[in-house]
Amino acid sequence: DLGCYGSEIETPNLDALAANGVRFTQFYNTARCCPSRASLLTGLYPHQTGIGHMTGDSGLDGYRGDLNQQCATFGELLHPTGYRTYAVGKWHVTKHTKPAGPKDNWPLQRGFGRYFGNLNGAGSYWQPQTLTDDNEPAAPVGEGYYHTRAIGDHAVSFIRDHQAQTPGTPFFLYVAFTAPHWPLHAPAATVAKYRGRYRQGWDAVRAGRYERLKQLGIIDAAWPLSPRDPEGKDWDTLSPEQRDEMDLRMAVYAAQVDELDRNVERIVAVLKETGRLGNTLLLFLADNGGCAEGGPLGFERKAGGTLGEDSSFASYGLSWANASNTPFRRYKHWVHEGGISSPFIVHWPERIKARGELRRTPAHIIDVVPTCLAAAGTTYPAKLGERELTPCAGQSLLSVFADDTLPPRPLFWEHEGNRAVRLGNWKLVAKGKTGPWELYDMQRDRTELTDLAAEQPERATEMAALWQAWAERSQVLPLCPGETSGKASAKQRFVLKQGDELTGGKAPDVKRRGFRIEAELAEVPANGTILAQGGSRAGYAFYVKDGCLVFALRSKGGNGTVTAATALPKDAVTVGAVLAKDASVTLSTNGQEVASGKVPELLYDQPTEGLQVGFDTGAAVGEYKGENRFSGQIRGLTLELDPKVP
């Protein structure tokens, strides 16, 4: 998605860093945001840190959903050597994100001197609900807030403050932009810049990027472009309205990348302003491949649900992700090349002589910590205070910066059962826990189109044994253990009251099933949450907005809202919402239907955020801001689930 890697999206500032430094052509992440951040911060494989999957707790050491005490972050490693350490943006390496704590794995407790950002994984760019300033909730955001720009604001402020307060001291700054993670939110003016550019369709965009990648020398011209994903659509079969919507989706996505690039420019500018640019090592990378989540066509064409605005939580979908991952196949979550390949730009004018060169040595996100430690003149310790540390899994890349050399070593992956090992020019990869091993020659076939496992069974067997040994020593096994935080109560009927909160295994199991809500209200306010479960990734909410009943649901397939046209009475009233197995929704007042409609699908996943009655302190599912507390009375509420379908 970057110009210097063949994209049509305008990223002049990242392109300038690449032109004055080096770009890697075979740099890898771990296929998903959360484990990638765990590896990036510690120099270990994610399972070694306790975050083998996401921030749910399976009860197994590799899958605790929290950084363990056997790993150390940049902040903990560099602060004792005299560095001031700062972090901005997405953290997402702890299961404990509520203001009341525990805070053992918050940035300040893991070695950073200052922090501003979101401890969770994703949310609105316009009205984020869970911002943290150091160790406390950040002040409510005002009109005109945009999260990408706020991350840039704080990064610049931290550098300026550092220069003013300790000008002779080195610093480390971790800037974790959320962009371009869903939801598709971007300023209208930037979206307008890209509107219409994508009416040519994803096949044409892929073809253009493929040609530019070859021209830039980033990929070998002998590697064929992987075929369009069979789950994707032929652009020519879309209606004019569908083409317009998909053009808009990609335009908003491109605008998110554009806004990120503009804030990189601001960081570079303050480094110039403070005289630090020449001797500052700048590294840029991504945490996963393009994301195939998106939602069905047409789900955004509803009242108040315009892409790019706060009410929309769409992504750009499989076919555009296929274009983002040109020329590779598969996506975020998978460990085929489309899921794990990352741009990696290195800029260090006073220490790297190369200008605009490519580096083809395979490297991994586990290498960033040892590289930064080597640049700072120190090494990864065996102990930190009384804590015994797991030995660093990565290697310093300083030699690669200089002359593209690094001793050969195997690299490993596992995420959600998807497995891979790369050794030299060979890669063994499998989809899911039970998928067969596939073998590819990365020198001749990095687009993974010709499986050689049957032709070279001995090589495949040897590499599979390497992966197995790594998995056994790195807390990877058993594969994909269940997460207790993602589990739910087996109850079918819940009788609740105002202020109730159910989390983890006590929360209703709403995954892929219908349910009915009935509540007795009094002193009905104009706005307020009746019941909410889940957040920006998956969840539902039943609430009052502008005096009217609303039911909203957000799932993998998109988000939908059903709203009553008439206002509720202000005194006593019984309200209901029914989600049927066909994803149809019916709202009622005193037993009379007041609205009906459909949402894209039932909840595809069990929400990781809990259930709350009368408020919503997590990421908002519906079109409301803040906790959206119900200021009237909820005299009683019943939630009844349909029987679970196997």
Side-chain angles (χ1 to χ4, degrees), residues 547-563:
C548 298
L549 277 181
V550 185
F551 180 88
L553 182 141
R554 183 165 296 121
S555 185
K556 184 177 182 180
N559 61 303
T561 302
V562 176
T563 304

Side-chain angles (χ1 to χ4, degrees), residues 130-380:
T130 55
L131 292 180
T132 298
D133 193 345
D134 288 341
N135 269 341
E136 303 299 328
V141 304
E143 292 298 321
Y145 180 95
Y146 184 62
H147 196 43
T148 302
R149 293 175 183 173
I151 290 172
D153 289 342
H154 284 80
V156 167
S157 175
F158 285 178
I159 296 171
R160 285 200 175 124
D161 289 351
H162 177 91
Q163 184 68 11
Q165 296 164 12
T166 54
T169 305
F171 72 88
F172 175 86
L173 173 60
Y174 172 47
V175 185
F177 289 103
T178 54
H181 195 289
W182 52 258
L184 296 176
H185 288 170
T190 315
V191 175
K193 175 178 171 181
Y194 291 94
R195 196 71 161 100
R197 293 194 190 188
Y198 295 99
R199 293 184 193 279
Q200 60 185 307
W202 31 70
D203 289 342
V205 170
R206 289 187 82 223
R209 290 189 179 193
Y210 177 60
E211 291 303 317
R212 289 188 293 273
L213 281 161
K214 291 189 291 184
Q215 292 165 10
L216 291 167
I218 292 171
I219 65 171
D220 191 320
W223 301 340
L225 175 64
S226 62
R228 184 206 309 137
D229 192 301
E231 295 182 31
K233 291 182 177 291
D234 183 335
W235 183 266
D236 292 338
T237 66
L238 303 184
S239 69
E241 292 81 10
Q242 290 173 330
R243 293 183 194 180
D244 184 66
E245 179 186 319
M246 296 312 291
D247 169 73
L248 176 56
R249 288 200 199 192
M250 189 60 193
V252 180
Y253 180 87
Q256 288 180 298
V257 176
D258 189 304
E259 287 286 335
L260 184 155
D261 184 75
R262 295 182 193 196
N263 282 278
V264 169
E265 178 184 29
R266 297 173 62 207
I267 294 168
V268 171
V270 76
L271 290 171
K272 286 181 182 176
E273 173 190 312
T274 56
R276 289 180 173 267
L277 182 62
N279 196 33
T280 295
L281 172 60
L282 276 166
L283 306 172
F284 179 89
L285 66 154
D287 56 4
N288 48 244
C291 175
E293 299 167 18
L297 286 166
F299 78 84
E300 285 299 327
R301 291 196 292 276
K302 62 181 181 63
T306 304
L307 274 162
E309 295 181 356
D310 193 38
S311 56
S312 162
F313 269 78
S315 188
Y316 66 163
L318 179 145
S319 294
W320 285 128
N322 203 180
S324 281
N325 294 337
T326 304
F328 305 125
R329 60 191 183 95
R330 305 311 299 170
Y331 313 94
K332 169 183 175 179
H333 297 271
W334 289 274
V335 296
H336 286 76
E337 293 292 285
I340 59 176
S341 298
S342 171
F344 190 58
I345 298 169
V346 185
H347 183 271
W348 199 8
E350 293 182 12
R351 295 285 296 273
I352 297 177
K353 295 180 180 179
R355 296 293 181 267
E357 294 181 8
L358 300 175
R359 295 292 181 261
R360 303 190 186 280
T361 297
H364 193 285
I365 201 167
I366 58 174
D367 299 326
V368 177
V369 160
T371 300
C372 291
L373 294 180
T378 188
T379 57
Y380 204 97

Side-chain angles (χ1 to χ4, degrees), residues 498-557:
Q498 193 161 0
D500 278 351
E501 185 169 9
L502 302 177
T503 60
K506 296 181 180 180
D509 183 359
V510 292
K511 180 180 179 182
R512 301 181 191 176
R513 66 201 296 190
F515 51 82
R516 292 167 296 287
I517 304 166
E518 186 174 284
E520 295 182 20
L521 311 179
E523 301 173 20
V524 180
N527 298 283
T529 299
I530 301 169
L531 176 68
Q533 183 179 358
S536 57
R537 185 174 187 272
Y540 66 92
F542 186 35
Y543 59 102
V544 181
K545 182 177 176 63
D546 298 328
C548 298
L549 277 181
V550 185
F551 180 88
L553 182 141
R554 183 165 296 121
S555 185
K556 184 177 182 180

